[in-house]
């Protein structure tokens, strides 16, 4: 049995829209999401009545001890359908990590199977008042009892354990990481909708950034924002009649390798092993290899993810990511800088990666358009537990 | 303001709430014993406790609580300089570590380090468990240098 994805090239992105990325939005998140979806549908040259499928992965990572309200902190596709007061042929939510990848995978399968013809994939991100991951809990139940009573709380601290082990094992330093973060911000500073528009960063600013959970500083984490990205997908046949050059889904892989012992979700050995499994699945699924990818958009919401994804997908060897990113001349992986990623845009959970793949492959990247690009990948979350989607022209 | 007033106003670290899976762990911890689940079929140890043994997938699962020596090695760490839990703000900076217990490869416990200076942090540092008061009758494992 072949591991090749039979629907490769059958489903295309045909339009997009992006809201401004702001710390505090001018409108409620639900309103902003509806508006962005309408703009994406118009961008695709379609009328809202053509849309017969909706999906998202609505997970919001900051509990803060508060309840989540649909339309305010999160926006599900069910909420969108309720507001539009329509009966879609297909409506589905993605559960799990790698939310935007998971949504695209669901949409692709729905269109390839004929369950829907035109699907809107959206992702709405919210920046809550107060500190993003701060939590006033007095008691720790369930899984929290193994972390919170130890003063261990929040994804940056989880990443810090992974990053320390990586640094110690391979010799990576913050000077190495400065290249990643300064590069992301340089690209983001050119991007009109970025939170960091016109605000590049110097190496010295990075190296003197305030530490949260050493070795993770403020600037190793993307900044929490409110914003929405939306995409319209349809079949290759229907895409031919629409105004923009289609960008096809070429295949994908998802990681589901949780650690079997211990508390943090991203133990280095497990991320490396699970990530390489995801890489094998991706290349078998797409029939491509890392050398053939023109626009590798690796995930960077926490800066060490850049190394871990590049290594997992075979752009470089295990433990060499931190050296690989230093040389833009020989490192195709550095084209992740073109869109700025999460570090250059804000905490948009994989939207910057997918969007940059789309814009570059559709020839819509404006001043930063690369020449002759035909393939891209967009990653989200940790290689071992997230997802990656490959695109082609 | 007196010291007592300050400490009363200060938020406390989160207190663990024992449940069906964890009650025995916290009962033993309160007696100063660190334990993990151990599969009665294959001997594989689990921490934190789980429903099904990943080692053998025995059905029905048969886990027992088995004490460990409390000795292990520093696997990785982070120095918390900005606590996201208010009850730990007064302790910053403090070190949270993953300690690999000597009983089984990959068997790691997350806990604070006690009295380990930052310049002594190194992969493989020998550590041993101690317990600190966790409130409401609970005891929380922390790790100190094995040679101290
Ligand atoms: Zn077993």
């Amino acid at each position: 049995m072949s591991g090749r994805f039979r629907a490769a090239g059958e489903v295309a992105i045909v339009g997009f829209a992006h809201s401004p990325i702001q710390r505090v939005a001018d409108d409620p998140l639900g309103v902003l999401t509806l508006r962005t979806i309408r703009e994406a549908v118009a961008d695709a040259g379609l009328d809202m009545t053509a849309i017969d499928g909706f999906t998202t992965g609505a997970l919001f990572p900051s509990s803060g001890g508060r309840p989540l309200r649909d339309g305010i902190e999160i926006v599900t596709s069910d909420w969108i359908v309720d507001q539009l007061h329509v009966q879609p042929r297909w409506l589905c939510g993605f559960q799990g990590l790698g939310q935007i990848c998971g949504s695209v995978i669901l949409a692709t399968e729905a269109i390839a199977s004929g369950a829907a013809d035109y699907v809107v994939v959206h992702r709405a991100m919210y920046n809550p008042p107060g500190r993003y991951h701060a939590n006033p809990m007095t008691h720790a139940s369930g899984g929290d009892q193994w972390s919170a009573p130890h003063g261990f709380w929040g994804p940056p601290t989880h990443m810090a354990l992974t990053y320390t082990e990586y640094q110690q094992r391979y010799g990576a330093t913050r000077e190495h990481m400065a290249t990643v973060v300064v590069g992301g911000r340089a690209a983001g500073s050119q991007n009109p909708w970025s939170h960091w528009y016109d605000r590049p960063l110097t190496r010295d600013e990075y190296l003197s950034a305030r530490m949260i959970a050493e070795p993770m500083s403020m600037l190793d984490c993307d900044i929490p924002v409110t914003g929405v990205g939306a995409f319209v997908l349809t079949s290759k046949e229907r895409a031919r009649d629409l105004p923009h050059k289609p960008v096809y889904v070429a295949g994908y892989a998802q990681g589901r390798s949780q650690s079997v012992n211990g508390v943090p979700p991203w133990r280095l050995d497990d991320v490396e092993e699970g990530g390489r499994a995801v890489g094998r699945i991706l290349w078998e699924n797409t029939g491509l290899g890392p050398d053939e990818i023109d626009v590798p958009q690796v995930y960077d919401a926490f800066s060490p993810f850049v190394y871990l994804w590049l290594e997992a997908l075979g752009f470089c060897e295990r433990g060499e990511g931190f050296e690989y990113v230093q040389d833009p001349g020989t490192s195709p992986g550095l084209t992740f800088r073109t869109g700025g990623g999460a570090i250059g845009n804000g905490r948009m959970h994989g939207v910057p990666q997918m969007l940059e793949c789309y814009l570059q492959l559709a020839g819509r990247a404006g001043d930063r358009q690369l020449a002759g690009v035909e393939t891209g990948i967009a990653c989200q979350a940790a290689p071992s537990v997230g997802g990656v989607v490959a695109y082609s022209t | 303001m007196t010291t007592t007033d300050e400490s009363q106003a200060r938020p406390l670290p989160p207190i663990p709430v024992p449940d069906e899976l964890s009650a025995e762990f916290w009962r033993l911890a309160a007696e100063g014993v660190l334990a993990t689940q151990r599969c009665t079929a294959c001997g594989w140890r689990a921490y934190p406790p789980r429903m099904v043994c990943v080692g053998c997938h025995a059905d029905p699962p048969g886990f027992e609580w088995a004490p460990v020596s409390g000795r292990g090695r520093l696997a990785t760490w982070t120095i918390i300089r900005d606590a996201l839990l208010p009850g730990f703000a007064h302790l910053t900076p403090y070190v949270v570590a993953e300690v690999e217990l000597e009983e089984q490869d990959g068997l790691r416990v997350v806990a604070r380090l006690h009295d380990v200076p930052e310049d002594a942090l190194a992969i493989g540092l020998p550590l041993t468990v101690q317990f600190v008061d966790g409130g409401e009758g609970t005891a929380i494992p922390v790790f100190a240098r094995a040679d101290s």
Side-chain angles (χ1 to χ4, degrees), chain A residues 145-146 149-150, chain B residues 14-18 22-35 47 110-112 129-142:
Chain A
Q145 69 189 293
W146 310 104
H150 301 285
Chain B
I15 298 165
V17 180
S22 69
E24 187 65 4
F25 175 87
W26 292 115
R27 191 189 69 75
L28 288 166
E31 294 176 1
V33 175
L34 184 66
Y47 178 93
V110 162
R112 279 190 296 130
V129 76
Q130 301 177 351
F131 288 86
V132 297
D133 181 9
E136 297 181 5
T138 66
I140 310 294
V142 298

Side-chain angles (χ1 to χ4, degrees), chain A residues 170-316:
Chain A
Y170 302 122
T173 66
R174 294 199 73 237
E175 282 73 14
H176 293 111
M177 193 62 89
T179 305
V180 170
V181 175
V182 172
R185 285 284 296 275
S189 71
Q190 309 284 318
N191 197 346
W193 59 67
S194 167
H195 171 75
W196 297 114
Y197 181 59
D198 215 17
R199 285 186 285 179
L201 183 77
T202 68
R203 290 183 73 88
D204 284 346
E205 284 170 326
Y206 171 73
L207 292 171
S208 58
R210 186 168 70 82
M211 282 289 170
I212 300 173
E214 206 167 309
M216 294 291 289
S217 74
M218 290 285 287
L219 295 177
D220 291 293
C221 310
D222 54 359
I223 190 166
V225 293
T226 296
V228 181
F231 298 87
V232 180
L233 280 74
T234 191
S235 66
K236 124 182 119 178
E237 290 80 11
R238 290 184 173 84
R240 289 193 193 110
D241 301 328
L242 298 176
H244 298 296
K245 179 182 169 186
V247 172
Y248 302 100
V249 176
Y252 40 74
Q254 289 172 290
R256 289 293 176 266
S257 309
Q258 296 287 356
S259 300
V260 295
N261 257 328
V263 172
W266 303 315
R267 185 186 298 180
L268 181 59
D269 287 328
D270 296 324
V271 172
E272 290 182 335
E273 187 183 335
R276 279 197 299 277
V278 165
R280 281 194 299 275
I281 293 167
L282 178 72
W283 303 133
E284 184 177 77
N285 181 285
T286 58
L288 298 169
D291 294 346
E292 296 170 274
I293 301 300
D294 302 317
V295 189
Q297 297 288 302
V298 294
Y299 196 53
D300 65 337
F302 296 127
S303 60
F305 279 143
V306 171
Y307 304 159
L308 296 167
W309 270 108
L310 289 170
E311 295 171 20
L313 299 183
F315 287 93
C316 58

